[in-house]
Amino acid sequence: LANPDTPPDALAPQNDWTRLLHLETQVQLTQASLTHHTTKFSTLHQTTDHISQSLQELLEHLTSHTIPHLMAEPSLAALAVPAAAPGVPAGPQVQLLCPALPDMYNGNCTSGEHFLQSCLTYIHFSRDAFDSDALKIAWVLSYMKARQASTYALQVLWRPGGVGSFTDWAAFKKDFWAEFFPIDPAKSAALAMQQRTVQAGKANVG
């Protein structure tokens, strides 16, 4: 309690000084927090760039030819259909399959199976370009550039032997399955419901 003998005007400067110190402290804490998050974002960006560069160098090392991108326009020669001989009915034309490239994968377990299946489909229809299991693995890792997926890809590249640490494609697929496939459908559904409940609670609070 203030001394009743102290005039009110004598306390005012002291209170103003205390508030000023408090505001200055809050500004310093805010600046420190902003610096921390900026540094963290910069580190994450550098890690992503490092993954992309490492995968590109690995792909160039594993193969001397470029993996064909089926999204490119096919040549006219490849699309040419042999003309039917005179007097012979023309048979049905064969439509060339053109599978889409897989989407970038972020490590979400609910879409891990879909991502791997997309990779397998592309590899199947471009098998002439994938002449080794190491090349298949490196190509799949090149599409894992976000969140848990990028962490996994970087860990594989930093292992002794890199993608060669897997004995074959089946070993990589088994490891990918254990890392990114749902362990149990019921458990995965429960986790998804729990996440939706938490998000709904945050929305209500906001």
Side-chain angles (χ1 to χ4, degrees):
L1 296 177
N3 190 342
D5 297 332
T6 303
D9 293 342
L11 295 175
Q14 182 177 1
N15 293 336
D16 291 342
W17 179 251
T18 301
R19 285 195 294 269
L20 181 61
L21 287 178
H22 176 72
L23 290 175
E24 184 178 357
T25 302
Q26 292 299 320
V27 170
Q28 292 176 353
L29 290 175
T30 302
Q31 290 177 340
S33 177
L34 180 61
T35 301
H36 171 74
H37 285 87
T38 302
T39 303
K40 188 175 181 180
F41 176 79
S42 177
T43 301
L44 180 61
H45 182 70
Q46 292 176 359
T47 301
T48 303
D49 289 343
H50 177 72
I51 293 174
S52 300
Q53 182 180 357
S54 299
L55 288 172
Q56 184 62 34
E57 292 175 354
L58 183 59
L59 285 171
E60 293 175 356
H61 175 73
L62 289 172
T63 180
S64 59
H65 57 274
T66 304
I67 297 176
H69 290 280
L70 298 181
M71 296 178 66
E73 290 292 331
S75 63
L76 293 178
L79 294 177
V81 178
V88 178
Q93 295 185 356
V94 178
Q95 184 177 3
L96 297 179
L97 295 176
C98 185
L101 291 168
D103 295 329
M104 293 297 172
Y105 182 53
N106 62 9
N108 191 334
C109 289
T110 59
S111 57
E113 184 174 3
H114 173 75
F115 168 73
L116 186 59
Q117 186 59 46
S118 297
C119 294
L120 290 173
T121 300
Y122 189 93
I123 291 173
H124 174 76
F125 287 103
S126 308
R127 50 184 174 272
D128 292 340
F130 297 94
D131 53 5
S132 68
D133 288 342
L135 183 57
K136 295 178 186 177
I137 297 170
W139 182 78
V140 172
L141 292 178
S142 70
Y143 286 89
M144 302 174 67
K145 295 182 179 180
R147 299 183 183 178
Q148 296 94 331
S150 65
T151 301
Y152 175 82
L154 191 60
Q155 288 175 348
V156 171
L157 293 176
W158 283 353
R159 290 177 187 174
V163 295
S165 61
F166 296 103
T167 56
D168 53 19
W169 170 256
F172 168 75
K173 189 165 63 172
K174 181 179 179 181
D175 192 68
F176 184 95
W177 184 296
E179 188 74 23
F180 297 110
F181 276 44
I183 300 176
D184 178 75
K187 182 177 180 181
S188 299
L191 289 175
M193 182 177 295
Q194 182 180 4
Q195 291 177 353
R196 287 194 295 269
T197 303
V198 172
Q199 292 174 355
K202 291 181 179 179
N204 293 333
V205 172

